[in-house]
């Protein structure tokens, strides 16, 4: 018999970005709230203190900030004909662990989606006709528009402390900003950060080719800043330890820097670490949840936490897994198209060109995770899908973001990987390389989905979640298109050596090399329960007092890093709870 805790108004599962947002906004309503976090407690002090945090071997290579596969993992296969095997060693993606989640170790790139990305099926239908949509692609519109989300994007950017320069301010296109972005009601909270030499070279070359370079929008403070919750940030010192690390400088946007310090001071909020939620408990009629059951790591026992509202705000993969285990919808069947949980799993399609210059010194140890100049000239809103034969787009960025000597030592192809030849290569080329990266969209497909594995179980005896995923021709064609456009720009910069890295048509997904921690979909948003797991307010169709937040809501993945859309949707959800649900709990429309 599980131990039972005192009932709360709200129980939050996972204390990362979305859990922190839900916690502080609902605590302001006077609700009694508890957040349950599977991992450990961590904060800027003492956990991210200098110099302990800038230990590249510990954090950059051995991944001490990440979720351990022994805690939670998935099985992986490329198609239904393969037998899925456990993801036993972190590689392709790196979910975070502990308070703050992946928001502690991200690189700080913060984007809003383009307006057409939220209504992508309609965009395709209205401009080219639905006949260009490849067979098996589950292309969808979001049930919410850019105009509806714009105030919440602005709110998240103010809270997170985002640096940048608006290219579209209330419809006015401004020189030096992104002319292809959605309109902004306000400029960024902070001005853009200075650029490094490599990004300046890229900017010059892009302008010469008629493109429109602009500074990347960064969850990195360019100046001293105080956000709406009274949380303070300090300007970045370009130490180069952002991605895979906590920030010791209070400069990188994170739940710790932006929200948790204020939230922890509220008397009606508490959080418990070492508390892994095992399932959401449903009432006898299945229409509402009564709370959650979690594993208390310290006491080594199950605990039932009753609550009136359940908010699922753990990492996307963990959210989908918990919903499948709890019966919060019907599992998706790719053969029939029925069911919604696990549907439309998507990822990201990336590539790039590396360049080596004998006479250029790039000082790669100077940088930050969101550093660089960007072009959006090949983004989703700018591409002719009918003419090019694919649906999608990409942004390009150049800028030093990681000069750490173990993980970032680019060398020309053919250089020995060890020994005297490797040392000679390092001596010749360290500090003389730069790159241009393509960060592309990824569509959703019938084949790519998540469900429960029939063979493997976790330490609690629950089925692991199974990931069925492979690259599809549409996204690979988009990647090759980016290569054909990027190589001439790179060549115009006259490098001594140039080498491209783009997936070719027919490439198979490989879980071993790191690619991106941008896992999306699985509890997608929709207008109705037949097409998705949650509505426009992230409220589950199965139980109206359960809200599932995060990138699992994405109907397909955008060309951008997901945090900006995740944050905007989170504020949209808690606004609906505050203004509509609390006074009259019911399914929202």
């Amino acid at each position: 018999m599980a131990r039972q805790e005192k009932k709360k108004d709200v129980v939050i599962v996972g204390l990362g970005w979305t859990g922190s947002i839900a916690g502080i906004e609902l605590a302001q309503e006077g609700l009694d709230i508890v957040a349950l976090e599977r991992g450990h407690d961590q904060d800027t002090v003492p956990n991210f203190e200098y110099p302990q945090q800038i230990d590249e071997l510990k954090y950059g290579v051995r991944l001490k900030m990440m979720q351990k596969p022994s805690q939670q993992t998935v099985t992986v296969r490329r198609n239904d004909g393969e037998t899925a095997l456990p993801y036993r060693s972190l590689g392709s993606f790196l979910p975070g662990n502990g308070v703050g989640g992946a928001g502690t170790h991200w690189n700080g790139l913060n984007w809003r989606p383009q307006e057409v990305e939220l209504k992508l099926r309609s965009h395709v239908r209205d401009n080219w006709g639905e006949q260009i949509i490849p067979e098996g692609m589950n292309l969808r519109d979001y049930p919410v528009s850019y105009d509806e989300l714009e105030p919440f994007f602005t709110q998240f950017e103010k809270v997170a402390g985002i640096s940048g320069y608006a290219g579209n301010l209330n419809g006015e296109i401004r020189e030096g900003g992104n002319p292809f972005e959605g309109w902004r009601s306000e400029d960024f909270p902070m001005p853009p950060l200075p650029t490094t030499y490599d990004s300046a070279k890229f900017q010059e070359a892009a302008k010469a080719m008629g493109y429109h370079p602009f500074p990347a929008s960064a969850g990195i403070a360019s100046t001293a800043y105080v956000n709406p919750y009274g949380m303070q940030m300090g300007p970045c010192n370009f130490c180069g330890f952002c991605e895979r690390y906590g920030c010791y400088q209070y400069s990188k946007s994170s739940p710790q820097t932006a929200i948790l310090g204020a939230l922890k001071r509220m008397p009606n909020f508490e959080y418990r670490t070492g508390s892994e939620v095992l399932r959401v408990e449903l009432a006898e009629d299945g229409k509402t949840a009564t709370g959650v059951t979690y594993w208390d790591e310290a006491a080594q026992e199950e605990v039932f936490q009753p609550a009136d509202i359940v908010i699922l705000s753990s990492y996307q993969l963990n959210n989908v897994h918990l919903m499948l285990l709890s019966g919060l919808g019907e599992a998706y069947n790719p053969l029939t198209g029925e069911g919604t949980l696990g549907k439309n799993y998507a990822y990201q399609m990336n590539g790039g060109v590396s360049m080596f210059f004998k006479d250029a010194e790039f000082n790669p140890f100077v940088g930050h995770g969101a550093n660089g100049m960007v072009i959006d000239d090949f983004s989703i809103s700018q591409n002719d899908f009918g003419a090019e034969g694919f649906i999608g787009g990409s942004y390009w960025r150049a800028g030093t973001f990681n000069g750490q000597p173990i993980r970032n030592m680019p060398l020309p192809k053919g250089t020995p990987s060890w020994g005297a030849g490797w040392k000679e290569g390092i001596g010749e080329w360290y500090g003389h390389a730069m790159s241009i990266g393509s960060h592309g969209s990824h569509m959703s497909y019938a084949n790519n989905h998540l469900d429960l594995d029939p063979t493997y179980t976790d330490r609690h005896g629950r089925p692991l979640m199974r990931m069925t995923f492979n690259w599809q021709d549409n996204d690979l064609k988009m990647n090759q298109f980016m290569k054909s456009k990027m190589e001439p720009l790179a060549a115009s910069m006259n490098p001594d050596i140039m080498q491209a890295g783009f997936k070719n048509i027919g490439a198979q997904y490989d879980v071993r090399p790191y690619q991106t921690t941008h896992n999306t979909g699985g509890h997608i948003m929709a207008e109705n329960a037949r097409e998705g797991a949650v509505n426009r307010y992230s409220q589950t169709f199965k139980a109206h007092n359960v809200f599932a937040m995060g990138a699992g809501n994405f109907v397909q993945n955008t060309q951008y890093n997901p945090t900006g859309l995740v944050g905007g949707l989170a504020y949209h959800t808690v606004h609906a709870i505050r203004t509509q649900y609390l006074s009259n709990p019911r399914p929202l429309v």
Side-chain angles (χ1 to χ4, degrees), residues 280-354:
V280 178
E281 304 289 359
L282 298 178
E284 288 187 10
D285 62 4
K287 295 180 179 179
T288 58
T290 58
V292 301
T293 295
Y294 69 93
W295 178 255
D296 183 332
E297 191 67 31
Q300 289 290 293
E301 64 178 345
E302 287 192 6
V303 182
F304 174 57
Q305 176 60 65
D308 291 326
I309 297 175
V310 176
I311 293 180
L312 305 181
S313 54
S314 61
Y315 189 70
Q316 174 266 350
L317 294 172
N318 298 331
N319 253 14
V320 178
H321 186 219
L322 186 57
M323 293 175 75
L324 285 165
L325 292 169
S326 304
L328 284 167
E330 182 183 351
Y332 171 66
N333 184 333
L335 299 179
T336 65
E338 297 177 349
T340 58
L341 284 181
K343 180 180 179 180
N344 282 33
Y345 173 72
Y347 199 36
Q348 207 86 63
M349 178 57 73
N350 298 340
V353 173
S354 297

Side-chain angles (χ1 to χ4, degrees), residues 216-230:
S217 51
I220 309 288
S222 62
T223 185
Y225 179 71
V226 180
N227 80 0
Y229 300 136

Side-chain angles (χ1 to χ4, degrees), residues 409-471:
M409 200 72 78
L411 294 168
K413 290 179 180 177
T415 304
S417 59
W418 65 285
W422 176 77
K423 292 179 181 179
E424 182 179 348
I426 294 298
E428 182 176 3
W429 292 111
Y430 178 74
H432 297 282
M434 65 167 286
S435 64
I436 305 170
S438 169
H439 191 281
S441 59
H442 190 273
M443 300 299 115
S444 297
Y445 301 90
N447 175 73
N448 294 339
H449 64 284
L450 305 167
D451 63 0
L452 295 178
D453 193 276
T455 303
Y456 293 95
T457 59
D458 67 11
R459 64 191 186 121
H460 302 292
R462 305 176 304 169
L464 292 182
M465 190 165 69
R466 178 171 60 182
M467 175 189 295
T468 303
F469 177 79
N470 205 359
W471 305 119

Side-chain angles (χ1 to χ4, degrees), residues 350-354 413 438 479-480 483 487 499-503:
N350 298 340
V353 173
S354 297
K413 290 179 180 177
S438 169
N479 212 34
Q480 286 297 304
K483 178 184 178 184
E487 285 182 325
Q499 53 198 38
F502 288 84
K503 296 178 182 68

